[in-house]
Amino acid sequence: NAGVMQNPRHLVRRRGQEARLRCSPMKGHSHVYWYRQLPEEGLKFMVYLQKENIIDESGMPKERFSAEFPKEGPSILRIQQVVRGDSAAYFCASSPGASGVSYNEQFFGPGTRLTVL
Amino acid sequence: DAKTTQPPSMDCAEGRAANLPCNHSTISGNEYVYWYRQIHSQGPQYIIHGLKNNETNEMASLIITEDRKSSTLILPHATLRDTAVYYCIVRGNAGGTSYGKLTFGQGTILTVHP
């Protein structure tokens, strides 16, 4: 059973370009979460999505960042017009979904390291 | 979600038990305690979670005090591969506004030495 997959593992972009990060959740998982880890800092929640819906985007920067999780295919985190401050590790996690009061732990992918030159 | 407090770093000898404490004095009755760890540059790994009873799995044990204001993660026989940052997280209830996301603090850097 494959785990959460993220690609690319490393991405280099020049300032002003667009970055697209992909996340394929574990089989059977319908909930996806994105987190960012800036150099020497902790993990920060960005956005929580279910299929075709954004549930919580309280951690997303207001501009240039967007996320989607279409009915078919991987979840995409898109960063437009990247700046040097966007350089970070971006982690995706998935879970089966909420089920009453049972809790579903989040399974994390290996991350995408974004470097903005 | 309730705030958690952990020591910034701890050391442990290989083969000995590692006991990682966490304070969560403002935890509410329907909040769970979760533990994750992050081995250098990898994605976080789920370890264990609990509500009020002590829990054990193949990785670790979780001891939660009766008043639920603190907990301890126990790695019974630490190995060099257990060197990582360990995060104690209190997570909101399903349906609440904070449900879903994990709020990571600074965690405890556990170093297991030979």
Side-chain angles (χ1 to χ4, degrees):
Chain A
N1 186 15
V4 177
M5 300 181 70
Q6 292 188 248
N7 66 81
R9 295 290 305 277
H10 300 273
L11 181 62
V12 179
R13 285 287 179 266
R14 296 190 180 278
R15 283 179 297 170
Q17 292 185 318
E18 178 179 287
R20 280 183 177 240
L21 288 63
R22 295 175 189 79
C23 169
S24 296
M26 288 180 68
K27 186 176 180 180
H29 286 194
S30 59
H31 293 226
V32 165
Y33 315 79
W34 286 93
Y35 296 82
R36 177 167 69 173
Q37 187 167 34
L38 294 167
E40 307 303 324
E41 293 190 17
L43 289 125
K44 302 294 183 186
F45 167 79
M46 299 182 74
V47 63
Y48 164 31
L49 310 103
Q50 296 177 21
K51 285 285 187 180
E52 301 184 281
N53 288 306
I54 295 175
I55 306 302
D56 180 358
E57 57 181 347
S58 59
M60 286 281 271
K62 298 298 181 191
E63 298 177 345
R64 302 186 297 108
F65 285 71
S66 62
E68 62 176 8
F69 188 18
K71 187 177 181 180
E72 300 292 337
S75 175
I76 306 288
L77 180 67
R78 182 183 179 204
I79 311 172
Q80 296 178 291
Q81 298 176 307
V82 296
V83 301
R84 290 213 174 114
D86 296 333
S87 294
Y90 292 82
F91 292 98
C92 167
S94 73
S95 68
S99 175
V101 296
S102 69
Y103 285 78
N104 296 288
E105 61 265 27
Q106 296 180 16
F107 297 86
F108 283 78
T112 293
R113 271 81 184 162
L114 172 66
T115 301
V116 179
L117 302 177
Chain B
D1 294 335
K3 179 179 168 57
T4 62
T5 304
Q6 298 177 252
S9 63
M10 293 184 66
D11 288 339
C12 178
E14 188 177 21
R16 304 298 293 268
N19 298 289
L20 292 90
C22 179
N23 287 322
H24 31 78
S25 57
T26 60
I27 192 170
S28 61
N30 56 6
E31 290 181 319
Y32 282 62
V33 179
Y34 276 74
W35 283 83
Y36 281 77
R37 72 180 182 184
Q38 187 176 25
I39 297 171
H40 180 63
S41 298
Q42 297 181 20
Q45 178 187 22
Y46 165 82
I47 301 173
I48 200 168
H49 75 276
L51 181 62
K52 60 176 73 173
N53 298 321
N54 297 336
E55 302 288 344
T56 296
N57 63 21
E58 64 278 4
M59 287 183 68
S61 295
L62 174 61
I63 308 298
I64 302 174
T65 58
E66 192 170 341
D67 63 8
R68 303 211 321 124
K69 292 185 177 182
S70 65
S71 60
T72 300
L73 178 74
I74 302 172
L75 307 178
H77 306 287
T79 71
L80 298 179
R81 289 179 294 181
D82 291 322
T83 293
V85 181
Y86 287 77
Y87 297 99
C88 169
I89 299 167
V90 171
R91 190 177 183 193
N93 199 11
T97 56
S98 61
Y99 180 70
K101 66 182 178 184
L102 294 170
T103 302
F104 290 85
Q106 295 303 308
T108 295
I109 301 172
L110 175 68
T111 303
V112 181
H113 51 84

